[in-house]
Amino acid sequence: PASAEGAKVPAIIVLGGSEGGLGAGAAQDAQLIASHGYIVLQLAYFDAPGLPKELGLVPLEYFKTAIEWLQARPDVDPQRLGLEGTSIGGEVALVVASHYPEIKAVAAAVPSSVVWPGISQTHAAPPSTFTLAGKPLPYLPYGWSGPSTSVYDLYAKGLPALGEHPDAIISVERINGPVILVCGEKDMIWPSCLMSEQIVHRLKAHGFKHTVQLLKYAKAA
């Protein structure tokens, strides 16, 4: 909430991952962040009323609407907006922040360095997780070659083809503020530490002027 003097305060948009909706993990993050005095919007982007059931072809304009809604609140400082996301929510946070300079800080836990296809339990994977102006964003295909025994393999085997799909790389250098990344070296869903290192490398290569921090945890999954 705003201070007793009526001063406006920063706001954070919290994004969950592949669980969809207003997941419990993201809700815990939102409550923790709010306890430190921030205004928090936990934002579902699929599998919730009025939204697609499955993850895929999510319009980036949807997040722009959320940003503008927060900025219009009388208790929010419109110049201090941040994004926090975990797993696919980390991918979302980095993509959204790279497109909308209104976001001034990003915290991405176990994130992706690239845009992947969408996820469907009933149909073929949608072509890209996101759209912009009605067109799918370029994406890196899953790695289907050879035997795959886990979801992790689909991502790990896809990354070596990144040179053939450079447009799938998230343009993190366009983010308008500091970036903090958190990854677990025992992540069994996707290679989040490798992708976090790719993000840091790209930021350094582009002379990113804001603070970048990568926290790697050797025993974290």
Side-chain angles (χ1 to χ4, degrees):
S3 70
E5 294 78 21
K8 296 186 176 185
V9 297
I12 307 292
I13 298 173
V14 172
L15 304 162
S18 58
E19 73 278 5
L22 297 174
Q28 290 177 349
D29 289 349
Q31 291 169 359
L32 177 61
I33 294 169
S35 73
H36 288 275
Y38 295 92
I39 290 173
V40 178
L41 171 62
Q42 184 187 356
L43 185 65
Y45 49 97
F46 76 103
D47 196 18
L51 296 174
K53 179 64 178 175
E54 297 185 310
L55 174 61
L57 301 177
V58 180
L60 288 183
E61 292 87 350
Y62 171 75
F63 302 98
K64 174 68 167 175
T65 299
I67 291 168
E68 292 176 343
W69 181 84
L70 267 180
Q71 287 182 313
R73 283 181 58 102
D75 50 356
V76 169
D77 182 344
Q79 299 302 317
R80 292 192 292 169
L81 298 186
L83 280 172
E84 189 269 350
T86 299
S87 191
I88 287 172
E91 175 187 338
V92 176
L94 293 167
V95 170
V96 172
S98 72
H99 282 83
Y100 298 117
E102 297 93 333
I103 298 299
K104 301 296 178 62
V106 178
V110 291
S112 173
S113 58
V114 304
V115 173
W116 292 98
I119 298 174
S120 174
Q121 304 297 327
T122 57
H123 303 89
S128 186
T129 302
F130 310 99
T131 66
L132 183 63
K135 297 180 179 179
L137 291 191
Y139 65 94
L140 179 64
Y142 296 128
W144 294 106
S145 61
S148 293
T149 59
S150 66
V151 172
Y152 184 98
D153 286 346
L154 296 179
Y155 296 108
K157 292 181 178 181
L159 284 174
L162 197 51
E164 302 169 25
H165 303 272
D167 289 347
I169 301 172
I170 301 171
S171 298
V172 288
E173 69 277 5
R174 299 194 308 205
I175 294 174
N176 191 26
V179 175
I180 184 168
L181 308 165
V182 183
C183 71
E185 293 184 347
K186 294 189 180 298
D187 189 335
M188 299 303 295
I189 301 300
W190 60 10
S192 60
C193 279
L194 172 59
M195 293 191 290
S196 294
E197 290 165 355
Q198 290 175 338
I199 292 166
V200 172
H201 178 77
R202 184 178 178 96
L203 290 172
K204 289 181 177 179
H206 283 81
F208 191 62
K209 64 182 181 179
H210 304 286
T211 301
V212 180
Q213 186 175 15
L214 170 56
L215 303 177
K216 293 198 296 182
Y217 294 92
K219 297 181 180 180

